[in-house]
Amino acid sequence: MTAKIIDGEAVASKIREQVKADVEEIVKTHGFPPGLATVLVGDNPASRQYVRMKQNRCKKVGIVSFGHTLSAETGQDEVEKLVRELGEDPKVHGILVQLPLPDHLDEEAVLNTIPLHKDIDGFHPVNIGRLAMKGRKPLFIPCTPAGVIRLLEEADAEFDGAEAVVLGRSNIVGMPVAMLLIHRNATVTVCHSRTKDLPGVCRRADILVAAVGRPQMVKADWVKPGAYVIDVGSNRVDDPESERGYRWVGDVDFDEVKEVAGAITPSPGGVGPMTIAGLLQNTLRAAELAIERGEVPQ
Ligand code: GUN
């Protein structure tokens, strides 16, 4: 059996078109565009690249981005001061503090200074707390986890009573994905570095989400025939045969696993584009919330 390939780029493209149309409507009706502020501390090349990609996508759908880059030595007070100022700026509807922050900074304290209604990453402790509880609604859901669920929905995965296994327990992906799957009535196992018999646990999964940052770790014999496999990993590996000397691979050995799975995302081209599409959707929603509150930038 060869798996159905879930095309994240196609789904993300549909979302971007919808956001673009909605942004045009806001500009026409209210006279201002949604605004996203990005805060990058330090010069981590991957983070710089992610922020640049986010800003480019904003521009293409008509969202204005306000980029702030601070040196790696910036102190806690200065970062928090900037975030607080952005929180009070009516042109800024969403604030994105790119993670990870340099080690000397207190990430939780920085995220706490983002006003709830501008927390388009969904990382504010209150939004995460609501996500972790039954019957509560966060104002925003983290973009990558939301993208994982959307791709499963697009592929018609059955959540109710499904065995779901999440590989990785990061705050950005593993933990919130697990919460979202539980809310959809899946039975969820979260695996990590101390998990015993990882292949055996993964083989139980009807839905397998890999988010560990280990190139091609998930092999065909880790996967239950017919399972839905979502690969969040994006790892740079050496490849002397490629022009650049490297290539990008996921946490799943795609060529092997596609012969066993029922549906699978490629990486690149699966979850990656969904993360930015989700960010655009959340920024649009933040602007709509500001309009509902009657906040109009001068
Ligand atoms: N670092 C890796 N992924 C993300 C993300 O989705 N948002 C932020 N702010 N930082 C990240």
Side-chain angles (χ1 to χ4, degrees):
M1 187 170 73
T2 300
K4 175 188 160 126
I5 311 297
I6 308 170
D7 184 349
E9 182 47 44
V11 180
S13 167
K14 262 195 310 195
I15 294 171
R16 292 194 300 260
E17 285 309 309
Q18 185 60 55
V19 170
K20 187 163 184 256
D22 291 349
V23 166
E24 278 166 13
E25 196 56 39
I26 285 187
V27 173
K28 208 159 66 186
T29 311
H30 301 280
F32 65 87
L36 172 72
T38 58
V39 178
L40 174 65
V41 188
D43 42 24
N44 178 318
S47 291
R48 274 213 324 244
Q49 166 81 350
Y50 288 141
V51 168
R52 211 168 25 237
M53 280 162 51
K54 289 169 185 178
Q55 289 172 336
N56 287 342
R57 282 293 177 196
C58 279
K59 198 167 171 193
K60 285 190 175 152
V61 299
I63 293 174
V64 175
S65 60
F66 305 93
H68 296 267
T69 305
L70 304 175
S71 84
E73 290 76 40
T74 309
Q76 184 77 23
D77 289 351
E78 199 180 326
V79 179
E80 288 187 23
K81 180 167 168 280
L82 171 62
V83 174
R84 245 182 253 108
E85 282 166 8
L86 296 169
E88 284 167 13
D89 185 341
K91 293 191 292 305
V92 171
H93 303 103
I95 302 172
L96 179 146
V97 176
Q98 186 65 28
L99 303 178
L101 289 169
D103 285 346
H104 68 279
L105 293 172
D106 178 343
E107 177 187 297
E108 188 182 1
V110 171
L111 295 177
N112 235 328
T113 58
I114 300 176
L116 215 51
H117 55 276
K118 296 194 179 188
D119 176 37
I120 42 70
D121 257 324
F123 293 161
H124 187 287
V126 170
N127 272 325
I128 288 292
R130 288 180 183 164
L131 188 67
M133 297 178 98
K134 240 169 74 178
R136 307 282 162 84
K137 266 203 171 311
L139 215 44
F140 299 99
I141 293 171
C143 304
T144 305
V148 168
I149 298 295
R150 174 72 190 267
L151 291 180
L152 285 165
E153 286 170 351
E154 289 281 331
D156 294 324
E158 178 69 53
F159 293 98
D160 216 89
E163 285 271 355
V165 171
V166 179
L167 282 178
R169 54 178 163 180
S170 71
N171 288 334
I172 293 179
V173 186
M175 298 291 237
V177 160
M179 300 300 169
L180 291 170
L181 288 165
I182 291 169
H183 290 317
R184 282 161 180 76
N185 301 322
T187 302
V188 180
T189 304
V190 180
C191 300
H192 44 74
S193 53
R194 306 281 174 89
T195 299
K196 292 185 179 130
D197 185 20
L198 206 49
V201 176
C202 290
R203 263 195 303 275
R204 296 207 306 256
D206 304 304
I207 295 172
L208 179 60
V209 179
V212 271
R214 296 275 182 104
Q216 299 175 308
M217 183 174 82
V218 177
K219 300 294 179 189
D221 63 356
W222 293 34
V223 174
K224 179 173 171 176
Y228 287 77
V229 179
I230 305 292
D231 189 355
V232 185
S234 181
N235 310 290
R236 201 173 121 159
V237 293
D238 292 340
D239 181 3
E241 281 173 26
S242 107
E243 220 173 83
R244 292 179 297 191
Y246 63 85
R247 68 194 162 94
W248 294 94
V249 298
D251 291 349
V252 174
D253 191 326
F254 180 81
D255 290 339
E256 274 193 17
V257 172
K258 77 176 188 329
E259 301 303 325
V260 180
I264 185 170
T265 58
S267 177
V271 175
M274 293 297 292
T275 297
I276 301 186
L279 177 70
L280 303 176
Q281 276 182 309
N282 282 353
T283 306
L284 170 68
R285 181 159 144 64
E288 288 168 346
L289 290 173
I291 291 165
E292 279 171 25
R293 290 193 305 274
E295 287 174 15
V296 175
Q298 299 311 311

